[in-house]
Amino acid sequence: MKAFVIDSYKGPIHAAEVPTPTVGPRDIYVKVVAASVNPLDQLVRSGEFKQLLKYPMPVILGHDVSGVVTDIGTEVTDFAIGDEIYARPRDLRIGTFAEYIAIHQDDAAHKPKTLSFEEAAAVPLVALAAWQMLVDRAHIKPGQKVLVHAGAGGLGSTVIQLAKHLGAHVATTAGSASTELVTSLGADVVIDYRTTDFADMLSGYDLAIDAVGGDNLMKTLTVLAPGGLALGVTGPPDARFATQLGAPAPFKLILSLLSRKVRSAAKKRGVRYSFFFMQASGEHLRTLAELYDAGHLRPVIDTTFPFDKTVEALAYVESGKTKAGKVVITQN
């Protein structure tokens, strides 16, 4: 089958003919209809997590998928041939930039009925991340205050919507061209990051989600209320990340040292910092499908590319041309 692979870390992504996936007893075999591009694809390609996530080369990239089940393993109970699904396959089993993929049934859910395949493919990773940040990690309650940077992006636009559904007050940073979009998604406060310092405008936030890193992350700590939590999406990683991936003890120490500066700064302010890396979950996707079908959440799509233009789709995202939401790759 045709797929888009890298042969080595930091190497170019290119089209290749690869063997069709093997279907395990608890796997569903999916004809890919659409996939979407995430910053995580570039992080895997660059070898950012190569000491913790050891992908055998060549590796097919792609973390989001929607499609149709064409075969099932002998122990599959939740799906049947012909089902329309969406998923973020678990780490070390990614590979949605391909004609077919085998996915563990626990990582998939039936596609939201109200969404097209293209819309559904834009959802899994960012929706799972938003749910796990807001519900599982921060336990956001009505009336609490949430700051999310880059609100027009795929993750930010989803966090805004889910946080509002949970009853939170939401602030976001975005360019002036995106003000109307993020306001329509539910943002209560929109700060133009090009002209205004968010740290001068905000205070007392219970949760802040940072996908920028560096000085922006350190400044984000200053707007948190005592006991507030900052979640870093781009790093620095911490010992919890090593635990999540089941890494050996030495990696926990290494990652703890990498995040020591920001954790120390957080402690001095009486707040908390943690690196965030989402986990595959079909159970969460089933809950999220209900929210999409009920109209509480909606996908935001920047543009679509045909499957043959997958290389161009990744280059488009990496160059920073995305204005809002996700880039989707279709095989219609």
Side-chain angles (χ1 to χ4, degrees):
M1 69 174 184
K2 184 176 181 179
F4 286 85
V5 309
I6 56 170
D7 298 316
S8 62
Y9 290 119
K10 299 184 180 179
I13 184 170
H14 63 92
E17 286 295 323
V18 301
T20 56
T22 300
V23 181
R26 302 194 67 197
D27 290 346
I28 57 175
Y29 190 64
V30 177
K31 171 69 176 75
V32 177
V33 177
S36 67
V37 182
N38 293 284
L40 185 55
D41 297 308
Q42 172 59 17
L43 292 176
V44 170
R45 179 182 173 188
S46 66
E48 188 76 17
F49 304 126
K50 65 182 179 180
Q51 299 300 325
L52 296 169
L53 294 172
K54 298 183 181 298
Y55 288 99
M57 295 292 168
V59 61
I60 305 171
L61 294 181
H63 291 78
D64 277 327
V65 65
S66 66
V68 179
V69 177
T70 60
D71 196 7
I72 60 174
T74 57
E75 298 178 13
V76 169
T77 58
D78 299 332
F79 299 93
I81 293 172
D83 284 353
E84 298 178 350
I85 66 93
Y86 75 144
R88 191 287 204 189
R90 64 189 59 184
D91 299 310
L92 300 181
R93 294 199 60 181
I94 63 170
T96 64
F97 299 157
E99 293 179 303
Y100 292 88
I101 184 172
I103 305 171
H104 195 289
Q105 69 168 355
D106 291 349
D107 300 345
H110 291 93
K111 180 179 74 67
K113 295 180 177 64
T114 59
L115 300 187
S116 67
F117 281 106
E118 290 78 7
E119 291 171 328
V123 165
L125 187 148
V126 293
L128 286 169
W131 181 271
Q132 291 167 14
M133 288 173 172
L134 294 167
V135 178
D136 294 347
R137 295 285 289 276
H139 310 292
I140 290 298
K141 301 294 189 298
Q144 289 190 300
K145 297 168 69 174
V146 174
L147 165 64
V148 56
H149 290 292
L155 176 60
S157 61
T158 309
V159 169
I160 290 171
Q161 294 177 76
L162 183 57
K164 286 303 295 183
H165 175 68
L166 295 171
H169 169 93
V170 182
T172 191
T173 55
S176 57
S178 301
T179 299
E180 183 177 350
L181 169 64
V182 296
T183 300
S184 73
L185 296 174
D188 299 291
V189 177
V190 183
I191 297 173
D192 186 342
Y193 67 90
R194 294 189 180 95
T195 62
T196 306
D197 188 337
F198 70 88
D200 293 335
M201 305 293 292
L202 305 176
S203 63
Y205 276 72
D206 300 285
L207 172 66
I209 296 170
D210 178 75
V212 181
D215 291 340
N216 194 80
L217 173 59
M218 298 299 285
K219 190 182 296 184
T220 295
L221 298 177
T222 69
V223 308
L224 291 174
L229 172 64
L231 292 175
V233 178
T234 58
D238 55 15
R240 179 176 181 146
F241 179 44
T243 301
Q244 179 178 329
L245 296 182
F251 283 104
K252 297 178 184 179
L253 175 60
I254 292 170
L255 296 187
S256 181
L257 292 173
L258 288 175
S259 60
R260 181 172 56 183
K261 179 180 177 181
V262 64
R263 288 187 296 104
S264 176
K267 185 176 181 180
K268 287 180 181 178
R269 292 187 169 275
V271 300
R272 297 167 292 150
Y273 166 77
S274 182
F275 178 65
F276 177 83
F277 193 80
M278 57 78 55
Q279 294 178 289
S281 173
E283 179 183 0
H284 287 166
L285 286 176
R286 287 191 289 274
T287 299
L288 288 158
E290 294 176 359
L291 296 180
Y292 280 97
D293 283 338
H296 298 304
L297 304 176
R298 64 181 173 91
V300 178
I301 295 177
D302 180 274
T303 190
T304 61
F305 285 79
F307 182 56
D308 287 345
K309 299 294 184 181
T310 294
V311 174
E312 288 84 349
L314 269 73
Y316 180 88
V317 172
E318 290 172 15
S319 67
K321 293 180 179 178
T322 307
K323 295 179 178 64
K326 299 289 291 294
V327 169
V328 176
I329 297 165
T330 69
Q331 296 194 42
N332 290 349

